[in-house]
Each structure stands twice: as C-alpha cells, then as structure tokens.
Amino acid sequence: MAEQEEDFSSLPLPDRFQHKIWKVRKAAYEDAAKQFAITPDEHDPAFRPFLQDPGLWKGAAADSNVAAQQEGIAALCAFLKFGGREGCTRTRSHTITPLVEKGLSSTRAATKQSALEAILLYIELDTAAPVIEDLLPALSHKQPKIIAATLAALTAIIHNYGCKTADPKPILKVLPKPFGHADKNVRAEATNLAVELYRWLREAMKPMFWGDLKSTQQTEMESHFEKIKAEPMPKQERLLRSQQAALDRAPPPGAGAVEEEEDLEAEPIEVDVFDLAEPQDVLSKVPADFHEQLASSKWKERKDALEALFVALNVPRIKDGDFNEIVRGLAKSMKDANVAVVTQAAQCIEVLAKGLRKPFTKHRSVIMGPIMERLKEKKASVSDALGLALDQVFLATSLTECLEETLGFLKHKNPAVKEGTMKFLIRSLKTTREAPSKTEVASIVESAKKLLSESHEVLRSGGAEILGTVMKIMGERTMGPHLEGLDEIRKTKIKEFFEAAEVKAKDKPKPKPPPAAAPKAAPAAAPRKVVKKTATKKPAPPPSQYAQQPPLAPQPTARSIPGSKLGGLKAPLKRALPGPGGAASTASPARRPIARPETPEEEAPPPPRLGVGGRGGLAGRSLAKAPTMAAPPPASPVSPTPNSGMTAVERAELEELRLDKDRLLRQADEHRQERSRFNSEVQELKNQNAQLIEDHTRDVLSIKAKETQLVRARSDCEAAEAMCGQLRREMERLKRALTTAERVNSPPTTSLPSPGREPSVDESGIYRDTGMYSGAQETRGYGNARARMSYTSTLSEEKENTGDGLAGQYGRTKLSPELRNGRTSAASGSGGRNSPAPPYTSRVPSNDSARDGGNGQGVESWKRAAEVTSALKAKIEQMKVCFPSHVFQILPTDTTSLQARQGLSRQ
C-alpha cells in the first residue's frame, strides 16, 4: 500500500483530481490548496494546468464523496484567492451550478461555508452581475433545500457587497415566486432576503414585488420593515478587488482627499424607484379623444382629459416615445383661464418628467417657459404644483440647460414670477450634483446681486441665499472676488445662508491639483498639501490670495495671466512663497476686503520675488551686493520653477485627462449596468420563449386530437351516407314493387275474372287470389310477400300485425307462420274457414255480392282500409321517434320492411 501511495503522489495534480479513488482525490485537493497558498503571484506556473482545463474544478466542487468534496471546494477557494481575476472568469461557468446544487445544500457546515466563500470570491474578483445571473435559475429547482440555499446565498451577497455593487433588479423580479412556495424554509429565506434588500433600498423596492404578496405576507413584512427603519443606512462590508486597488492608489493618510472620500462613503446610498422599475408604454393608455377634449370650450371636459392623462402617465418609469403633441398640449394648458386645469396640467408635467428623466430633455424648451410665466398665480396650491413640475423638469435635465432661461425670468417685471423663479433656482442649486462652471457662477452672482437691491424683502433675502448657496458649492475663496463691492450687512447675511446651506455638489477641480504637483518636487508638495488642508478647514488662505493680487498692478503682463484660465492655477502656487512671513496676512481671515488695501504698503518683498521669476530686477542687485546676498536668489527660483506657465499647462492637461478618466469610468459603470439589464431581459425572454414553446406544443396536440376526431366523424358521416343511399335504393325498389302490387291487386273493371287467375271467395266474403297472386308470391320471395299486405284487414288484424311488426323489425324469427312455413298455402286456393289465411289478402266485394247489389259493403271495406292505413302511418311516426337512427343501420332488413310499410301508408 505504501508503494501505491507513493505512486499516487507522484502523479500530476490534474490526473489525481480525476482519479477513481476518493482518497487520492482528497489528497490532491489538499496538495493543490497548499501549492496555491505559497505562490508568489497569480502568474505562477502552479495555476496554469487549472486555467487550461477549468473543468477540473467542476468535478472537485461536485465530488461524490462528501469528505473529498469539502477539500475540493476549499482548494477552489484557495485557487480563486491567489489565482486572480483570470482564474475567476475561466472557471465561473463550470463551478457555480455545482456549488449551488452540491455545496450550498450540503449537510456539512464546512462544505456549505466554503461554497458560499467561493461564490463571494467570484464576485470579489470580478463583478456581481454574472454570479447573480447564474444563481437565479436555481430558484426554479425541484428540491426546496436548493432553493432555500440559493436565497441564503443571495442574502449574503447583498449583505456583503450592497445594492450599489450587486444590482438588485434581477433579484426583485423573481422575489415574489419564493414567497408563494409550499415549503416554509423557502418562504423564511425569501423573507430574510426581502428584509436585507429593504435595509439598502427602503421604500424604493416595494413597487417591484409588493403587489404580488398576500395581505398576510404584507403585514408580516411591514412588521419586519418597521424594525429596520430606525437603523442607519448599511455600508459595504466587502470590497471588490478593483475597489481595493483604488484605495491602495489613494494618497497617504492625513491628506484632505482621503477625508473627502470618507465623507462621500459616509453618505447614504439613495436608490430611486426609477432605477429599479421597468419602462412602460403609456402612449397606448392615453385616451383617443384626449386632444379633442383638451381643446373643448368647457373647462370641466379639459380637466377630465388631463385627469385621464395623469392616470396613464403616473407610473414609476415611462418608455420613451412621441410625446411632442402631449407636451405642446400641456404647454398650452399653462395659459388656461381656469386654475384647476392649470394645476392638473402641472401634475401631468411632473409625472411625465419624473417617468422619462433624460428623454424629457428635448421637451424642456417647450414646457419650461410657460410654467415660469404662470408663476404669477397667487394661489398656493397652483404655485406649489408649478414648483413641483419645475423641480422634476430640472431633475430630468441639468443646471446648465435650465440656467439661461431661469436667469432670464429673474428679470421679469412681475414680482411673483421673480419670486417663484428665485425659489426654483435655490432649489436647483441645492439639488444639483454638478458644480456650475466659472462662467455660470458669474452669471448667477450677477443676477443675485441685482436681487439684493429689490424693494421686496423676500427678493433681497432670496438673492443673499443664492449667493450663500453658490459659495457653499464653490468655496469661499472662489466667491471672494465676487463679493468685493457689497457692504458688511449683506456679507453677513450671505455668510449666514452659506453656513446653513446643504448642497450635494462640490467644486471638483479644486482638490485634484496637489497629486499632480507632488511627484515633481517632493519638498514643495508638502507645504502645498498643508495649505490645501487649511483651505478646507480654515478661512485663512483666501485673504492671502487677495493680499497678493495688488502687487500685480505695475506689471500688465502679469495681470493678463490671472484673467486667463491659468490665473486660477497660479494663485495658490504664489501663496506658498510668503508662507513663513505671511502671518500678518492671515491674522484677519474674516475681513478680507479690509486687508487688501493694506498689503501694497506692508509687504514689500513680494515684488522682487516676482521679479526673480522674470529674471529681471535681482540680476543687477546681485552684482552690487556681497556674495552672501547672492545665495538666496538661487533658492527662490527653485520653488517657482514648477509654477511657470508650462507647469500650469501640464496641470490643466492632467486635469482634463482626469475628467476624461472619470467620464470613462462612469460610462463603464453605465455599460456594466446596461449589460446586466440586458442579461436580465435575455433571461426573461428565455422564460417567455419556453412558455410559448410549451403553449405551442399543447396547442399542436390539441389540434391533432381535433383532427383525429374530425377524421372519425367524416368516416362515420361517409358510412351514414352510404347507408342512406342503400336505404334510398331499397325504398325505390319497394316503391316499384308496391306499384306493381297495386296494379295487380286493383279491382277488375269487368265482372269476368282475368285469364290465368282463379279467384275464390270464402264464406266471409273475402276475395282471395289463388292463381297468379300465389305465383308472384313464390317468385318474388319474402320481401314482395310482405309488400302485398291486405288493405282491407280488420281492425283487430291490424293491431295484431302492428304488434308482430315491432318485433319483426329486430329479426325474421317473429314473422307470421304463413310467411315462414307455408308460402304455397296462399296459392292453394282453399278458402275454408279453418285454413290459415294468406298473409296478404285483397278484400274486395265478391262477384255474387256485386251482382246482388252489394256496392255499399265494398265502399265500407275501402273506408276501413283507409282507416288502417292512417293508423299505420301514426304507428310508423311513433317508431321513428322512439328508435334512434343506428337501430335502422344495425337492422337493414327490418328497416326495409319499415320502409315498405311507409310506402304502403303513403299510397
């Protein structure tokens, strides 16, 4: 056994992974995990065999032996942990399904934990969308324990990575299905998953699945949600490898950028219903007569049309379409004389802009002006509705797109329009996430300064609030030059609004220059960081900037530079030069305008230092003075050298590159989210396709069954038609036979008997034809014999014949004895009383009675024959009603006799 073990250990790891002995496989898994742990990097040759054949991990994750499976999944975790992203992307498609079906549902706690860790590592190394996409099909598994384990894994993914990294939309789409499962463990895990999603999404998640739950489940979920509402927003506990790399590239601790990143991370993640909802086509729901009703002369009809439009548009997300006519109609409704119509139109604009978002941008120019023009209404309900509509229009567009028109209405002659526009601008500045450009800031400040001189106090306060909000976004240093000509009272008011303002946008270009200047000169980079840090926390640097600006007046070339784009970049660099001796300038940070006129007299050294940068004034002074005085000048050009115009250009280019990088990263995130959305749509379409295939198969089987029934019915119909044709031919034959019989049995026109016949008259006066009649009976057979039924039978004989006739329809055995045994007896000519009468007789008056004048008795006999015929007709109709048609198909012979009777009755 020892030799065999040595042979096994000498085999390559891929061969041992596939060995038939489970102990060999288990040892191979353990050896692989140890090898992966000691590799220096992810490019080590130890990973190469498993990258070339990723199917090895499928067998390891689904090993038939539970002990070997535990070690196999642990080896997979080691492979992912040390193998890098390439090992994740190559093995993910092979291992996710075995991990779910065999690992997460295992009875061993270690196996279950290792399987969950492997799934989390797959997300950590790449992204969460492909892993979630592979996990969701397991929710339709037949075994409830696998469904419960998958729900628990999804809960762990959301808990560790959050809804910002792991897209919750695919999960929310299938979440109602586990809530309706028969197994209680599945429902419990679905509840845990919904609670975890609520921790991140709050009320935004409800429209996705809330309507599919039962009332009792909704009540239970509400009780769980109430416990979470008081908790703070959760944070991402586990970072992706890409996020970890971004943190590693961050500046060292203590830098202001890190503090700002921490502040951004501390902000709660806002999830909107719009991001989770699916677009809906609302144009088909708009009433067909909407435009006709909107143009009606009655305000009630116009209001009803707008209410119907509001119901159609009030959905979380609207699919883009041709809304031009609707928007023009709503813009026209802004001029309506009835305030109820205006309010309803504003509500329609609000829900349309909220549901469309970015596609609504093309309608902004049509609708924004009429809304602002209507701000003159004094009624609070109307102005509130118009304000909400404007807010949604702004959220659907941007500050840059709305700013020009907004500033134009700030100059409106109506004070109410001015006030409403001013409030809208303040709300826009507080909610925008993109800081305005310097040109836009100058336009906003100019319009706000004009409001400071208005006669209405509300407008004056609004102007101060606009300036304070802009200062909060751009910073005090940027807003300092714009507040030069204002008095102290107004500055104090602006300062109050600045401190109380809460904004979402920050001036991004300000904190980014320090990392670019740091690698060029390490000694000069440290003081810059310190200055920047004090700029964010203390108001000292802005006065120093203003103190340095006046010395630039004697040099026209230097004044032109601050006015250009590079002026904003050179100012903070010049501030670092008088750092040690700038105590006097930083002593009064709150009174910037007062400190500025004093700087030209107090600070004499700055002009010579600026001259050093130009290589001018200090050249002559260094020659006139001792060599000891020539030492400082070389030190001063060392620090300004990076501050020359070339460095600023490079910094500007670097800034543009960083902006491009941020833009590309945002585009990559958008493409990733779009790809995830497309994957979810593909999965949904696959499910719909499978359902359609199943429905098609069911319809095809149903059609084939109907076709089979139709073929059978056609064959039955053809058989019935053939039988009807046979019966019709038989009926014609019987008619001909009956006609022949009538001619034969017709009464003679003369008293002489026909040749060849020997009539005989019995004692009862019945005429019996014993000659030709019997011969015809013998030659024509039984069928013609039945056709020659007597017309003059008595009523009692008719009852007996009908009784026997019913039985005779079902067989020939119940025929009269005369027809069965004695055909010749009818032709024997015996007219005795005791001899059996022939089955068919013709009762006519005898020659003697005719000669004796017995015509009355003959007429009576014919009347009795007519009565018997009518009775036979009635009986035949009753038989048709009582017996179904298949009886006649089964017994064609009896049907023939019945048809013969019908022919006799018709005659």
Side-chain angles (χ1 to χ4, degrees), residues 547-558:
Q548 293 172 7
Q549 289 179 356
L552 298 177
Q555 300 178 3
T557 57

Side-chain angles (χ1 to χ4, degrees), residues 420-478:
T421 307
M422 173 200 67
K423 293 178 180 179
F424 166 65
L425 180 59
I426 294 172
R427 294 194 303 268
S428 302
L429 291 172
K430 289 182 178 180
T431 56
T432 183
R433 294 187 178 274
E434 296 181 1
S437 63
K438 293 183 179 180
T439 306
E440 294 171 351
V441 169
S443 302
I444 295 172
V445 170
E446 183 181 357
S447 300
K449 284 182 178 179
K450 292 181 180 179
L451 292 177
L452 293 176
S453 60
E454 288 284 342
S455 59
H456 293 78
E457 195 277 332
V458 178
L459 296 178
R460 295 195 300 270
S461 299
E465 187 173 359
I466 290 174
L467 292 174
T469 307
V470 175
M471 183 184 292
K472 190 75 171 182
I473 296 174
M474 306 302 296
E476 294 183 75
R477 190 186 71 190
T478 306

Side-chain angles (χ1 to χ4, degrees), residues 227 235 243 245 449 470 473 659 708 831:
K227 302 175 184 177
K235 295 181 180 180
Q243 296 172 344
K449 284 182 178 179
V470 175
I473 296 174
L659 293 176
T708 304

Side-chain angles (χ1 to χ4, degrees), residues 367-413:
I367 201 68
M368 191 171 178
I371 297 177
M372 287 186 168
E373 192 70 38
R374 193 69 186 198
L375 289 172
K376 61 186 178 181
E377 290 292 337
K378 296 181 180 180
K379 195 172 182 180
S381 60
V382 182
S383 60
D384 292 344
L386 295 172
L388 292 174
L390 283 174
D391 292 343
Q392 290 300 328
V393 171
F394 170 75
L395 292 175
T397 55
S398 64
L399 180 64
T400 303
E401 294 173 345
C402 300
L403 186 59
E404 183 179 356
E405 195 163 3
T406 303
L407 296 180
F409 274 91
L410 277 179
K411 304 174 185 178
H412 202 275
K413 60 182 180 180

Side-chain angles (χ1 to χ4, degrees), residues 636-651:
S636 59
V638 173
S639 58
T641 302
N643 303 333
S644 61
M646 194 64 184
T647 305
V649 172
E650 291 177 355
R651 194 176 299 174

Side-chain angles (χ1 to χ4, degrees), residues 163 168 172 197-205 233 271 276:
C163 291
L172 289 172
L197 288 170
Y198 188 82
R199 291 178 64 240
W200 295 87
L201 304 178
R202 301 297 178 177
E203 297 295 326
M205 65 174 287
M233 291 296 295
V271 181
L276 301 177

